[in-house]
Amino acid sequence: MTVHQFRGVRLASSGAAAIAFCALCATPQSARADDLGVWTLFDQPYRIHRFDYNALVRFQDAKTPSRTIALNGVQGAHDLGGNNFLVCSNTLHISPASSYKNYVIEVRLLTDAQGLPTGLSHTRTILTNDLVRDGYDLDPRGLTINDTLVGLGSGADLVVSSGGNMLRAFDFPSGAPVSWNGGPSNGFSTSSINFSTEDVVFVPQRSTFYTAFRSPESTITSFNRMGRIGPAFRVGKKISSTRGLPAGLTLLHPSSTFPRVFDSAPAVMVCLDNFGPGLEVYDIDSRPLGFEPLSNLLTPGRTPLPLHGSTQELWLSAVTADFITGRIMLFNRGNGAGQTDVFVLTPIPVPCPADFNLDGASDFFDFDDFINAFENGLPRADFNHDGAIDFFDYDEFIVAFEAGC
């Protein structure tokens, strides 16, 4: 283990002492974005911002309209375009008796004139669910939209991956349950091949729902629009013991805004949980296209995504992507204080290395910002992205700064 001393602050590049890095990266709950700098994933530079969605997103309590509640425990997300997206939440462990347990809401990502994210806001509540009121526990694990004209959720209705291993359909945007095949139920069971169903994504090119089978199989299972079983393929921990289990899925439409390795054909991105956080991408026929390991700690070979108030490892539970902007959003599970973070990855052109603050110029402000990040052990100071903050980063920045842009 290598330990570095910066003005009385000890940083560790590996091992248990790396927890100190997380404490340095933690910031108080705030309505602003935390800029985590530029990191490269899938050979594409992204500028990464972090938000505490619990602090930013509040909405009227449907059960007790005189009060508002904060967004907690995001389990699934789906991009709607135009900076709007859906999220589902199961808040049994924190909801008071005066609130419903389950919500699906629409949220808007606020941006500045340069298109960089500045905040989150509640747009509307789509549906609520509670065991006592509705007779079943929705317990949402993920959500998607079937934009074809056949099958469960057809006609651009909402399909929710539900507790009890069900896919259930609801009218969008009213949230009313949609009868399935003329019967009393609004969905079908996935238990025949997936008894630990997490997220779901509809893949129109295959007219198929892909579902994440978290544990113990670490597999993507599939069902056609009528509920019949389709092929499955292994992901995450079944690929490598160092990777986590699948928790979130999103469809990547072909777009030049995505990394070149998967910009020309539809693909599925999988986010992995705390057993080995990361992002995997597969084409819709199960061929692997890329893998990026992630960590809450400053760790060699992993992109750091520090939680704002916790030293616990990442537990990514939801992912969504906008093919117009190329922006990717990663939601932490958020089942405890300091863990309710969403990371917004905005693709940018390859920046001039000396333009540390990305304002389009190389000047003293870049030098000052780097020194501040370096002395405080912020993730942005890992200039050479080797998983440690040390004087190699300082030296390489000075060389880049003197070369200018």
Side-chain angles (χ1 to χ4, degrees), residues 55-397:
L56 290 174
V57 181
R58 298 195 67 89
F59 51 99
Q60 185 179 44
D61 190 331
K63 188 174 183 180
T64 310
S66 60
R67 65 189 295 269
T68 62
I69 54 177
L71 179 62
N72 272 289
V74 169
Q75 299 282 0
H78 178 83
D79 183 73
L80 296 174
N83 287 340
N84 294 316
F85 55 95
L86 299 175
V87 295
C88 60
S89 173
N90 172 353
T91 57
L92 175 65
H93 60 291
I94 55 174
S95 290
S98 57
S99 299
Y100 292 130
K101 174 185 174 184
N102 304 306
Y103 283 86
V104 174
I105 65 172
E106 183 177 333
V107 177
R108 181 167 180 79
L109 179 69
L110 309 176
T111 59
D112 62 18
Q114 287 73 46
L116 294 176
T118 58
L120 302 169
S121 66
H122 172 265
T123 299
R124 55 181 168 172
T125 298
I126 304 299
L127 71 88
T128 63
N129 167 266
D130 192 78
L131 174 62
V132 174
R133 184 192 70 178
D134 299 306
Y136 68 92
D137 181 8
L138 182 64
D139 187 13
R141 310 296 180 85
L143 70 170
T144 190
I145 287 179
N146 177 0
D147 50 9
T148 70
L149 298 178
V150 177
L152 184 71
S154 60
D157 277 339
L158 180 65
V159 175
V160 177
S161 173
S162 172
N165 304 308
M166 291 280 294
L167 296 185
R168 298 180 182 272
F170 300 87
D171 178 74
F172 183 70
S174 76
V178 176
S179 176
W180 168 240
N181 275 350
S185 173
N186 64 330
F188 59 77
S189 173
T190 61
S191 295
S192 57
I193 60 169
N194 186 341
F195 52 82
S196 181
T197 305
E198 290 292 327
D199 205 355
V200 59
V201 63
F202 184 70
V203 181
Q205 295 85 353
R206 293 289 180 269
S207 300
T208 297
F209 294 101
Y210 286 18
T211 60
F213 188 166
R214 182 172 177 270
S215 179
E217 291 303 314
S218 191
T219 298
I220 303 302
T221 56
S222 64
F223 300 83
N224 73 9
R225 294 171 294 185
M226 306 306 293
R228 288 188 286 273
I229 298 170
F233 59 94
R234 293 177 172 180
V235 299
K237 197 162 285 295
K238 288 294 185 177
I239 301 296
S240 169
S241 61
T242 63
R243 300 187 189 183
L245 298 166
L249 306 174
T250 194
L251 179 66
L252 303 173
H253 296 279
S255 173
S256 60
T257 62
F258 289 138
R260 190 170 301 170
V261 68
F262 48 78
D263 67 354
S264 60
V268 174
M269 179 173 283
V270 183
C271 66
L272 305 177
D273 69 8
N274 59 320
F275 288 101
L279 296 175
E280 296 178 331
V281 179
Y282 298 85
D283 71 14
I284 59 176
D285 294 314
S286 79
R287 287 181 288 267
L289 300 178
F291 169 65
E292 289 287 347
L294 308 170
S295 179
N296 187 36
L297 306 176
L298 188 62
T299 306
R302 291 180 176 268
T303 298
L305 297 179
L307 300 171
H308 79 266
S310 172
T311 58
Q312 295 189 25
E313 186 54 284
L314 290 171
W315 187 321
L316 297 178
S317 57
V319 56
T320 189
D322 180 355
F323 74 96
I324 300 298
T325 63
R327 186 179 290 118
I328 298 170
M329 301 182 69
L330 305 173
F331 291 82
N332 203 57
R333 190 180 184 190
N335 280 350
Q339 300 174 43
T340 50
D341 287 317
V342 56
F343 300 91
V344 183
L345 285 59
T346 303
I348 63 171
V350 178
C352 168
D355 183 14
F356 188 74
N357 62 11
L358 301 176
D359 66 355
S362 174
D363 51 31
F364 175 78
F365 294 107
D366 297 291
F367 184 86
D368 190 53
D369 285 353
F370 174 78
I371 295 301
N372 178 68
F374 183 79
E375 292 180 342
N376 288 283
L378 301 182
R380 300 177 62 205
D382 183 11
F383 192 73
N384 59 12
H385 292 183
D386 67 352
I389 298 174
D390 52 33
F391 284 98
F392 292 108
D393 298 294
Y394 181 88
D395 289 342
E396 292 190 28
F397 174 75

